[in-house]
Amino acid sequence: MSELNLDFLNSEQRACVLLKKLYLSYGYEYFRLPGFEEYSLYAENKSFLPEGDAITFTAGGKLLALRPDVTMSVVKNMRAAQGTKKVFYDENVYRRGRDGSVGEVAQMGVEVIGDVDGAVECECIELALGTLATISDKYLLDLSHAGIVKKVEEFARLSPKDGEEYRQYLSRKNRHDFERFVTRAGVDGKGAEMLRSLIVLPPKQEDAFSELYKMAKFVDIGREIEELKEMAQGRERIELNFSVVGDRDYYSGAMFKGYIEGAPAAALSGGRYDGLAQKLGLKAGAIGFALYLGEIPRYAGDKPKSADVAVIYNEDNGKRALKIAAGLRSEGKNVLMTKCAPAFFAGEIVAAEGKDD
Amino acid sequence: MINIALPKGRLGEKVYAMLASCGYGCEQYEKGSRKLVFRDGGGKVSYFWVKPADVPVYVTLGAADVGVAGKDVIDESGAEVYELSDLGMGKCCMCVAAKKDFKDDKSRPLRVATKFPKIAADYFLGVGRKIDIIKLNGSIELGPVLGISDVIVDIVETGTTLKENDLTIIERISDISCRLICGKAAYSFKRAEIDVLNEKLRGCIK
């Protein structure tokens, strides 16, 4: 079969088709999910979710919630599966903002649950890069490692509360408040130096790894550095950036965010979330990412697609209008049949004149 | 080109003067003008004046690559941005204040009057105190004076207004000052330019 021309689709729909093809080419299975789950699933794992509440309702005496996150549903529905599962999805999530507003976000992503080794991690990064490349040729992937941050925090003897505060400075590259924090928290010497290094890590992989190796002389992070090296593989589009942070209870290894030039926020987000899988009763590793589809048309600069021609008809000439419209369509035009001209119509307007026989 | 959102008013003008002194001046800039956008002829920088509370909005939505905002505004917005520098201007602190004879009745939620509901909610969640928030847009000090709230969460600069209304600070939440913020996506693609601007600006901070 010849390649299908996708020009008639908008950039979001096109991305959706191309990404399905990409994920299928890696042998991932398409996974459909229910639109809602019992609210307790989300209530018990609130800090895994992005900010905002789930939208709840009751049915049959049960408190249910419209799905605010896909990953949790995938893990929950995979509990009975045997072996390593590689799936992709194309779903909407629903969230309530702080101001009470309700939002719907289209997501597409992949999840691997089971025996997640180095090869699977590399494959996931490769797929994340392939996903971004499908959308634009100007993209970057920021990569960090929850294990390194954890061990450096332990070396600096940060309490859990101080660790939480430190990760806020790390996520914002906020060095000035960090300096006040280390004084206040009584962290000094090598511990403070390493915590600071993660905030100001240079962007080039070579320089960043050299900084991490310096830390490895004092903290046992050799294995984590090698994991990052395997994933980054010297690729120009990957930068080490420890401002990518997540909840300690859920994320255990690599974490990443993908940016596309022109998009105001991260277009893709993912990581290794063994903690969540284990919390949901799976003795398995887990890694995955999600791409936020809904924003694509905005930064891709899509123009609204409308008909090329409007054929205006009345109660006396419907058949004539059908004939005219069919003729125009056979010339490859998109034709709208209507009794009155649409407002702000930019295309050609053709009137069906006379009366039907 | 770097797009910069500046807060309208004295603080924004002060920051512009700092930027101009380190090579980011614009011939189009006129003090006191009502023009909202101005750029330099060399295409290095473009400025626009926005309401101080809107600076994080422009930065997170990508209209501005960097912006200048108070720490209070950043924290209240919850914006996902990088905070590249503390500009050391507009120093004050975010505090919990109450009447001098205030005693906390832990058997009921604490009524908190504030212009900063997110900061107040985050703070009291952190200390494990249940609260009811009363959102006010100004004259916050009136809350405890007229009995509509037990405490207030507000910015304190000199403490004179508190004193004149018979209120006192019972807790300091955080230090506030003016920050240079940057969009995370913008930083990914304009890092070199933004780092140079940030370094030059830091050089101007006394």
Side-chain angles (χ1 to χ4, degrees):
Chain A
M1 198 172 78
S2 62
E3 285 286 314
L4 180 64
N5 183 345
L6 301 177
D7 288 350
F8 64 96
L9 299 175
N10 74 16
S11 51
E12 177 188 348
Q13 294 158 337
R14 209 162 38 237
C16 214
V17 173
L18 294 171
L19 290 174
K20 278 181 181 166
K21 195 176 168 202
L22 173 72
Y23 303 150
L24 286 168
S25 76
Y26 277 71
Y28 283 56
E29 277 177 49
Y30 185 46
F31 197 71
R32 284 310 306 261
L33 291 157
F36 50 85
E37 298 276 2
E38 283 192 35
Y39 177 63
S40 57
L41 173 69
Y42 307 118
E44 285 158 15
N45 298 288
K46 245 182 165 174
S47 53
F48 182 75
L49 298 171
E51 199 173 288
D53 271 337
I55 300 159
T56 55
F57 59 99
T58 50
K62 281 184 178 173
L63 183 60
L64 302 174
L66 286 177
R67 182 184 50 227
D69 172 81
V70 176
T71 304
M72 258 190 256
S73 291
V74 173
V75 177
K76 188 190 151 221
N77 288 287
M78 286 278 177
R79 278 192 286 215
Q82 297 293 312
T84 301
K85 281 278 170 195
K86 294 181 172 184
V87 299
F88 72 93
Y89 60 81
D90 165 21
E91 301 280 358
N92 285 0
V93 295
Y94 307 88
R95 288 174 195 147
R96 194 190 299 279
R98 265 197 294 137
D99 56 358
S101 61
V102 175
E104 184 176 359
V105 182
Q107 281 188 0
M108 195 157 182
V110 307
E111 310 287 356
V112 182
I113 295 160
D115 181 11
V116 178
D117 58 11
V120 172
E121 286 184 339
C122 289
E123 183 183 78
C124 191
I125 293 291
E126 203 173 291
L127 270 175
L129 291 170
T131 300
L132 294 167
T134 302
I135 315 295
S136 166
D137 54 359
K138 289 175 182 157
Y139 62 90
L140 270 180
L141 192 78
D142 282 348
L143 182 62
S144 80
H145 199 298
I148 292 178
V149 179
K150 186 177 179 215
K151 285 186 178 174
V152 170
E153 280 180 23
E154 281 166 0
F155 178 84
R157 299 185 174 188
L158 296 190
S159 67
K161 195 166 175 283
D162 285 343
E164 224 170 273
E165 188 174 340
Y166 166 66
R167 288 192 294 281
Q168 283 185 27
Y169 304 131
L170 184 60
S171 76
R172 287 187 166 182
K173 291 189 181 289
N174 180 345
R175 197 172 148 187
H176 38 275
D177 285 327
F178 164 77
E179 298 300 345
R180 290 170 198 135
F181 159 75
V182 283
T183 310
R184 202 170 56 239
V187 188
D188 50 18
K190 209 75 212 161
E193 194 184 312
M194 283 195 269
L195 292 169
R196 185 180 300 111
S197 289
L198 291 181
I199 295 178
V200 297
L201 204 68
K204 272 194 177 173
Q205 270 188 44
E206 201 185 324
D207 302 335
F209 277 118
S210 140
E211 278 299 314
L212 292 177
Y213 279 126
K214 278 186 211 161
M215 291 186 204
K217 288 179 188 157
F218 303 92
V219 191
D220 177 25
I221 52 172
R223 183 180 55 83
E224 288 82 355
I225 295 175
E226 291 315 312
E227 281 175 16
L228 281 180
K229 262 199 137 166
E230 279 292 308
M231 285 182 263
Q233 287 178 18
R235 291 179 175 116
E236 267 182 39
R237 302 299 184 102
I238 296 182
E239 287 184 355
L240 296 196
N241 183 344
F242 281 80
S243 75
V244 183
V245 294
D247 192 285
R248 174 65 52 83
D249 291 340
Y250 301 105
Y251 290 102
S252 47
M255 298 186 64
F256 46 92
K257 278 192 190 291
Y259 293 95
I260 287 171
E261 195 168 322
L268 179 148
S269 171
R272 176 128 192 195
Y273 57 89
D274 295 13
L276 175 75
Q278 279 150 25
K279 217 170 163 208
L280 293 175
L282 272 167
K283 282 183 186 150
I287 191 168
F289 63 81
L291 171 79
Y292 309 106
L293 282 170
E295 290 293 308
I296 296 175
R298 208 174 328 191
Y299 54 76
D302 279 12
K303 299 271 183 294
K305 287 188 194 303
S306 60
D308 303 310
V309 186
V311 176
I312 313 291
Y313 70 101
N314 58 38
E315 54 274 16
D316 297 328
N317 56 18
K319 283 182 189 163
R320 284 178 177 226
L322 280 167
K323 222 173 187 178
I324 295 168
L328 289 164
R329 281 191 201 106
S330 69
E331 292 168 21
K333 289 179 175 161
N334 295 330
V335 185
L336 172 76
M337 266 182 59
T338 175
K339 280 189 172 167
C340 60
F344 309 112
F345 185 66
E348 187 188 346
I349 293 182
V350 174
E353 285 166 354
K355 286 187 176 183
D356 290 339
D357 300 328
Chain B
M1 177 181 296
I2 306 177
N3 299 303
I4 305 175
L6 289 177
K8 276 184 195 169
R10 216 156 32 100
L11 199 65
E13 279 168 13
K14 227 168 144 183
V15 175
Y16 172 76
M18 265 171 89
L19 283 159
S21 74
C22 52
Y24 292 92
C26 275
E27 55 275 23
Q28 282 185 5
Y29 173 75
E30 286 168 46
K31 203 175 173 186
S33 157
R34 286 180 166 240
K35 202 172 167 180
L36 295 175
V37 181
F38 55 102
R39 7 181 105 84
D40 74 324
K44 192 160 74 168
V45 71
S46 167
Y47 291 97
F48 38 93
W49 295 113
V50 303
K51 215 174 161 194
D54 291 339
V55 171
V57 179
Y58 283 85
V59 173
T60 42
L61 294 180
D65 301 314
V66 299
V68 172
K71 179 71 176 157
D72 52 330
V73 167
I74 302 166
D75 287 349
E76 185 58 29
S77 71
E80 278 276 316
V81 291
Y82 291 136
E83 266 184 52
L84 299 181
S85 283
D86 181 346
L87 302 181
M89 288 187 253
K91 284 186 178 175
C92 50
C93 66
M94 186 66 71
C95 294
V96 183
K99 281 168 95 172
K100 284 178 182 158
D101 58 355
F102 166 74
K103 279 200 177 67
D104 190 5
D105 176 1
K106 297 230 166 64
S107 66
R108 61 179 179 83
L110 188 70
R111 294 171 306 158
V112 183
T114 184
K115 235 191 316 189
F116 304 97
K118 182 178 184 303
I119 293 174
D122 289 349
Y123 171 73
F124 284 106
L125 183 71
V127 298
R129 181 74 173 93
K130 198 167 166 36
I131 59 167
D132 285 335
I133 286 188
I134 297 146
K135 169 84 167 69
L136 297 177
N137 296 304
S139 304
I140 314 296
E141 296 81 3
L142 273 177
V145 174
L146 300 181
I148 64 165
S149 77
D150 303 308
V151 298
I152 64 168
V153 167
D154 203 13
I155 286 171
V156 179
E157 206 172 334
T158 60
T160 312
T161 318
L162 289 183
K163 215 171 165 187
E164 284 177 1
N165 289 287
D166 216 22
L167 301 177
T168 186
I169 293 172
I170 55 170
E171 206 68 60
R172 283 172 75 99
I173 297 179
S174 60
D175 291 322
I176 306 290
S177 56
C178 200
R179 311 290 167 91
L180 179 73
I181 60 170
C182 173
K184 291 190 172 183
Y187 196 64
S188 291
F189 297 100
K190 295 186 179 178
R191 182 171 180 149
E193 283 172 86
I194 292 169
D195 278 348
V196 170
L197 179 135
N198 185 32
E199 279 313 307
K200 285 188 176 173
L201 202 52
R202 286 166 81 98
C204 293
I205 300 167
K206 283 171 195 146

